[in-house]
Every structure is written in C-alpha cells, then in structure tokens.
Amino acid sequence: MVAVIALASVAVKRAWRGFSVFHTTVLYMMVCNLLYWFLTDDYLLWAFVPDLIPNGVITELIYMLIVFPCTVVLFLSSFPNQKKGRWKHYALWVAIYGVSEFVYSVTGRIMYDHGWSCWVSLAFDCLMFPMLRLHSTRPGIAYIVSVFCAVGLMLLFRVPLRPMP
C-alpha cells in the first residue's frame, strides 16, 4: 500500500520529471540501504514485518526499489529555493516518515532490536533528509559524512562485523 501511495504521489505531483536530475541521489539512498542489510545481516536493528507479501526480502525490495526512490524524487523536487522554507520542508518529511513508522510500530509491521526504537528512527530521519539534500548538491562530502555516520551508528549499536568468507 505504501508503494502504491508513493507512486501515486509521484504521478500526481509530476515529480517523475525530476528523476533524471536526482537519480544519483536515488542510487545513494539505495546503496545506503543495501549496506545496512549487508553489514547487519545477522544483527538487524530494525526490519519490516511482511504483511500482504509473506517474504521479508520482497518487502525490502519494494521499499528499496519503489518507496525510497519516490521519497528522494518527491523530497528533492519540492525542495525550497529560499532558506526560509527549508526547515519546514525537512520537518514535513521527518514527520511523514516518523508518523508512518509509528503506525508500523503500533500495528506490528516493523520490529526493533539491539537498542533501536521508533525514537531512534525519528532521530535517524532528522539526519537522513539533510544527507539526501547534501548528496544532491555535494555528493563527495555526503559520501565522507556517510562513512562517519555509518561507523558511528555501528559503534553506538555495537554491530559486530563478521569475517569475510
């Protein structure tokens, strides 16, 4: 349902026209999500609980291939040019993600582990949206900051690194 809403929002706002402009940031978000799954494979901090589709991998792929790209395109295509409206724009998107996740939490559609929580996700959203904007304007800096953020989160939540086979 979320994927349908995301696609409908992109269509109604005609935001799909901005895809070619923002495709590298879409890929950045997808790669960050893939790295999360790769690095925390045996130590997930959070995961969606499948509902209509009984396979968790398919659920994650729907988010990674549909919901997250739609988020990036909608967020960046409507980003205000003036500094005055930027905080409201960030707050709106953090609220959209925060309320959605709260509903997922209450309905059992997301599980948390190893100290992660709905509140931590909200704080993460406060970091994620500025990082998306940073990547769209200064990708090199965004990659460097992302490495530090990822290492910090892995240390904070004590994510064990397993040896490569």
Side-chain angles (χ1 to χ4, degrees), residues 19-160:
F19 184 80
S20 63
V21 175
F22 305 122
H23 77 278
T24 56
T25 304
V26 167
L27 293 174
Y28 163 77
M29 188 170 189
M30 292 168 74
V31 165
C32 289
N33 191 55
L34 279 172
L35 278 173
Y36 163 72
W37 281 98
F38 177 76
L39 293 172
T40 64
D41 182 40
D42 295 327
Y43 192 86
L44 292 176
L45 302 174
W46 61 269
F48 294 115
V49 177
D51 47 12
L52 296 176
I53 300 167
N55 185 320
V57 172
I58 301 295
T59 301
E60 284 299 328
L61 284 173
I62 288 171
Y63 272 85
M64 187 176 56
L65 298 173
I66 298 173
V67 176
F68 295 156
C70 289
T71 294
V72 170
V73 171
L74 286 166
F75 171 72
L76 292 176
S77 67
S78 61
F79 197 84
N81 290 328
Q82 288 101 13
K83 289 184 180 183
K84 186 177 181 179
R86 291 180 181 173
W87 288 110
K88 288 182 184 177
H89 191 69
Y90 285 125
L92 170 67
W93 281 93
V94 168
I96 289 169
Y97 262 56
V99 168
S100 298
E101 189 157 331
F102 177 75
V103 170
Y104 290 165
S105 177
V106 169
T107 59
R109 296 291 170 231
I110 193 167
M111 71 91 192
Y112 303 111
D113 207 356
H114 307 291
W116 197 270
S117 69
C118 199
W119 292 109
V120 175
S121 283
L122 188 64
F124 179 82
D125 293 341
C126 290
L127 176 67
M128 179 182 74
F129 285 104
M131 287 301 297
L132 291 174
R133 172 66 178 161
L134 180 62
H135 183 273
S136 74
T137 59
R138 296 200 166 124
I141 294 171
Y143 290 123
I144 292 167
V145 172
S146 295
V147 167
F148 285 103
C149 290
V151 169
L153 287 168
M154 291 179 68
L155 291 172
L156 181 65
F157 291 97
R158 298 185 177 131
V159 176

